[in-house]
Amino acid sequence: MTSSPTLPPLLWALLAALASLLALPGQAGEGERELARARAYEARVERTIARVRSSVVAISLPSDERGGARSGGSGVLISAEGWVLTCDHVVDEGDTVLIGLADGRTLEGRVVGRDPVGDVALVKVPERQGLTPARLGDSRALRRGDVVLALGNPFGLAADDLLPAATLGIVSGLHRAKGGRKVYGDAIQHDAAVNPGNSGGPLFDLAGRLVGVNGRISIRGLKRHNVGVGFAIPLHQILPILDQLREG
């Protein structure tokens, strides 16, 4: 014959109180409200991506002598006159590049200005019809924890439809310094996944405003893939030299 375990009266009282709380009608309502808030945030992210993706371009270099397409990266339209901002290492010292728009068009762009050390380049496309520039934001207003979106062409996956991939993260650090052949003296550190091919692509805030240009990632060993840390050139560091880049 077995007997039921005896629980202390206080524990029984606590269990009874917990059961009564779980049975309250308001508990289900709160869960529904949490879900509604999550869905609203999700919808906001989707709307932002839909609004900014037409300003993002895929950049590839003209075919080499063997007829094979060379690697490139990403860029962002910053004016309706056809100015495209990207990284210097994306254009690879070339004079012309191919610009793939999100609507499927491919245009030839001319590299007008370069800052090899600061890793910034400006490209001009002749077509002015149907170009949607990004809305410029204030990168100096960024704070740690701000949500950011990285759009671009990682691993060249947008080769077919030219639609950019989007990743979501937060600003994890500011005023980061990364040396080398390309000097990032005041970089935005974030954890939105960026990989080879994202270079030159835009970093947006959650309102869809351009705040930086993605350029570097932290890698492990010899494997060129993201390990959770990306670096973007802040827009406030680029804007003062735009006129010089336009002048070549």
Side-chain angles (χ1 to χ4, degrees):
M1 183 176 178
T2 59
S3 60
S4 301
T6 302
L7 296 176
L10 181 59
L11 185 54
W12 277 116
L14 289 174
L15 290 174
L18 180 60
S20 64
L21 285 174
L22 293 176
L24 287 175
Q27 298 300 312
E30 182 60 31
E32 291 173 357
R33 286 191 289 272
E34 288 289 343
L35 180 59
R37 284 191 285 268
R39 291 278 169 79
Y41 175 74
E42 184 181 71
R44 182 182 180 186
V45 172
E46 291 173 352
R47 288 194 301 270
T48 301
I49 293 171
R51 188 168 66 249
V52 304
R53 67 184 182 188
S54 56
S55 67
V56 186
V57 305
I59 297 179
S60 57
L61 305 180
S63 301
D64 58 23
E65 296 177 354
R66 296 168 296 179
R70 293 184 290 159
S71 62
S74 307
V76 58
L77 281 159
I78 57 170
S79 82
E81 285 72 39
W83 293 104
V84 176
L85 194 60
T86 186
C87 284
D88 178 71
H89 75 267
V90 170
V91 300
D92 192 32
E93 300 184 1
D95 296 322
T96 60
V97 292
L98 299 177
I99 302 292
L101 303 178
D103 62 11
R105 287 180 290 167
T106 299
L107 309 173
E108 185 174 270
R110 178 171 57 92
V111 180
V112 175
R114 299 175 55 215
D115 175 7
V117 176
D119 201 19
V120 178
L122 192 65
V123 178
K124 182 69 169 63
V125 295
E127 178 63 57
R128 297 187 181 184
Q129 299 298 318
L131 300 181
T132 306
R135 191 157 53 107
L136 304 186
D138 184 4
S139 53
R140 291 167 299 187
L142 288 175
R143 299 292 181 267
R144 288 175 175 83
D146 285 352
V147 175
V148 286
L149 284 160
L151 272 75
N153 183 25
F155 305 115
L157 296 176
D160 295 329
D161 59 13
L162 296 178
L163 287 174
T167 53
L168 183 74
I170 64 167
V171 174
S172 49
L174 296 164
H175 312 300
R176 299 304 199 212
K178 299 286 287 183
R181 290 191 306 113
K182 309 293 184 183
V183 178
Y184 285 46
D186 191 21
I188 303 164
Q189 179 186 330
H190 63 87
D191 66 358
V194 285
N195 287 283
N198 275 106
S199 291
L203 186 72
F204 293 105
D205 63 17
L206 196 54
R209 297 170 298 204
L210 179 68
V211 292
V213 173
N214 290 305
R216 294 180 71 159
I217 60 176
S218 287
I219 60 175
R220 180 172 297 153
L222 298 177
K223 296 180 179 179
R224 295 187 67 240
H225 58 73
N226 182 273
V227 294
V229 181
F231 299 94
I233 306 167
L235 189 63
H236 73 261
Q237 201 173 37
I238 300 172
L239 292 179
I241 66 169
L242 268 183
D243 287 341
Q244 296 176 59
L245 292 173
R246 287 192 182 101
E247 294 167 0

